[in-house]
């Protein structure tokens, strides 16, 4: 996101997914943030902050869902802001049902939409209300496996360099047996390569270790895949930039998320950096076995 045009970030998503942590991280980066703002007041906040007519400092609003009119109200507020020349970007925080249940039970609080029902009923109701918002969000962040420090690191990585234009890419390795990352824009399957798990000396290691990396990259098809996929990503990244997409998450998977996906994710990230993209890498499932 360039500082030469107005920008307004709306942080929303599932209750318990980390909205408050994201807000605090943005504040620490020097953003002007208002938490728990009703959608109907977004334009008033932007106007008060000097965002409607001026490309001023960074401004964000954290919006949660408390009524069935949430989606309509939020969409109307975004249309109003963009009609006044404000560039709006929506960040959606996501987490699995199981993780949300665990978090609410840990703090012994009911879900805001639970009513007289169960905790899972409130979560399901909120997912239904937020379905359209999530589908249209500019950035979806899955916090299921993140603690507060890891989520803060993601926010800093995405928004800490807002004065630098261009696409920012998050490359994450994962294991298919643990499920797809729900925030992935693109998914790569590395299970076509031989699995180092079946090599006794390599089994205890992971894709960050040189012996595993060398084994994976020496396999037939590994370099050819990386060469071809780099070209594909160049085309996709150019298209994302033309469409105004500032962030993308690329998921690289293998069976367990320990060997092949880790080594290949590091290689993909290195090639994207060589192309001048801003890239961060994370390995979701290393250490789970």
């Amino acid at each position: 996101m360039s500082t030469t045009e107005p920008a307004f970030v709306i942080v929303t998503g599932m209750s318990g997914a980390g909205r408050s942590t994201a807000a605090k991280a943005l504040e620490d980066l020097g953003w002007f943030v208002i938490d728990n703002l009703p959608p109907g007041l977004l334009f008033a906040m932007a106007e008060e902050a000097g965002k409607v007519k001026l490309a001023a400092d960074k401004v964000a609003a954290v919006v949660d869902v408390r009524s069935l009119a949430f989606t309509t109200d939020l969409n109307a507020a975004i249309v109003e802001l963009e009609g006044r020349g404000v560039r709006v970007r929506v960040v959606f925080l996501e987490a699995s049902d199981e993780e949300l249940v665990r978090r609410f039970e840990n703090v012994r609080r009911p879900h805001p939409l639970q009513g007289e029902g169960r905790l899972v009923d409130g979560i399901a109701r909120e997912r239904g209300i937020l379905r359209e918002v999530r589908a249209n969000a500019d950035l979806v962040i899955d916090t299921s496996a993140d603690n507060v420090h890891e989520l803060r690191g993601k926010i800093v990585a995405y928004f800490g360099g807002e004065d630098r234009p261009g696409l920012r890419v998050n490359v994450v390795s994962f294991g298919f047996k643990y499920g797809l990352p729900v925030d992935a824009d693109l998914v790569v399957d590395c299970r076509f390569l031989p699995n180092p798990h079946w090599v006794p000396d390599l089994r205890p290691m992971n894709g960050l270790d040189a012996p595993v990396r060398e084994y994976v990259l020496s396999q037939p098809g590994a370099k050819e895949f990386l060469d071809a996929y780099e070209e594909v990503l160049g085309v996709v990244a150019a298209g994302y930039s033309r469409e105004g997409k500032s962030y993308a998450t690329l998921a690289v998977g293998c069976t367990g998320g320990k060997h092949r996906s880790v080594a290949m994710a590091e290689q993909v990230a290195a090639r994207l950096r060589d192309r001048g993209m801003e890239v961060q890498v994370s390995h979701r499932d290393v250490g789970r076995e």
Side-chain angles (χ1 to χ4, degrees):
M1 202 179 297
S2 171
T3 56
T4 61
E5 59 182 322
F8 188 98
V9 169
I10 297 171
V11 179
T12 188
M14 297 297 296
S15 300
R19 292 189 307 254
S20 296
T21 298
K24 183 62 170 64
L26 288 172
E27 288 178 344
D28 291 343
L29 290 172
W31 285 59
F32 177 73
V33 182
I34 290 186
D35 202 355
N36 295 325
L37 191 71
L41 296 180
L42 285 171
F43 179 77
M45 173 191 168
E47 189 173 37
E48 183 68 21
K51 296 297 296 181
V52 172
K53 296 181 180 179
L54 299 175
D57 291 337
K58 305 156 188 173
V59 177
V62 181
V63 181
D64 68 357
V65 53
R66 296 295 172 98
S67 73
L68 292 174
F70 171 84
T71 301
T72 301
D73 293 344
L74 182 58
N75 288 341
I78 291 173
V79 169
E80 184 176 18
L81 286 165
E82 292 182 336
R84 298 297 187 97
V86 180
R87 186 177 183 224
V88 180
R89 289 292 175 262
V90 178
V91 177
F92 190 96
L93 298 181
E94 170 71 277
S96 68
D97 286 1
E98 294 78 9
E99 179 60 21
L100 292 175
V101 168
R102 187 189 67 80
R103 292 175 185 178
F104 274 104
E105 288 180 342
N106 281 347
V107 297
R108 299 182 179 180
R109 292 173 51 196
H111 188 279
L113 298 184
Q114 181 176 339
E116 297 300 321
R118 300 175 302 163
L119 178 57
V120 292
D121 297 328
I123 293 173
R125 187 183 184 201
E126 186 175 38
R127 283 204 190 281
I129 296 173
L130 292 176
R131 186 174 294 111
E132 182 181 350
V133 176
R134 185 191 187 284
N136 294 323
D138 298 281
L139 173 63
V140 178
I141 301 176
D142 179 16
T143 71
S144 300
D146 296 337
N147 59 37
V148 293
H149 305 294
E150 290 166 333
L151 174 55
R152 185 185 185 284
K154 287 184 177 181
I155 296 297
V156 171
Y158 283 122
F159 295 100
E162 286 291 288
D163 56 332
R164 291 172 289 182
L167 183 70
R168 284 198 283 280
V169 181
N170 175 38
V171 179
V172 55
S173 68
F174 73 97
F176 278 95
K177 71 179 184 179
Y178 300 117
L180 290 171
V182 299
D183 52 351
D185 296 292
L186 300 167
V187 177
V188 178
D189 186 351
C190 292
R191 290 176 294 184
F192 69 93
L193 296 169
N195 193 347
H197 175 81
W198 303 114
V199 180
D201 289 343
L202 300 181
R203 183 177 300 178
M205 303 180 187
N206 63 56
L208 296 174
D209 295 312
V212 174
R213 180 175 65 249
E214 293 167 2
Y215 176 87
V216 171
L217 297 180
S218 68
Q219 299 303 315
K223 182 179 183 303
E224 291 80 0
F225 172 81
L226 288 168
D227 291 342
Y229 198 60
E230 179 185 353
E231 294 303 315
V232 170
L233 290 177
V235 174
V236 172
Y240 279 166
S241 296
R242 287 192 299 271
E243 293 299 312
K245 186 176 177 65
S246 301
Y247 324 97
T249 297
L250 168 60
V252 182
C254 64
T255 302
K258 179 180 179 180
H259 297 113
R260 294 165 291 182
S261 62
V262 174
M264 296 294 275
E266 291 287 339
Q267 292 299 307
V268 169
R271 288 172 177 242
L272 293 179
R273 290 192 186 102
D274 289 343
R275 284 177 170 254
M277 299 183 198
E278 185 175 339
V279 183
Q280 66 167 346
V281 186
S282 59
H283 303 295
R284 191 191 73 178
D285 296 328
V286 168
R288 293 190 68 164
E289 293 186 345

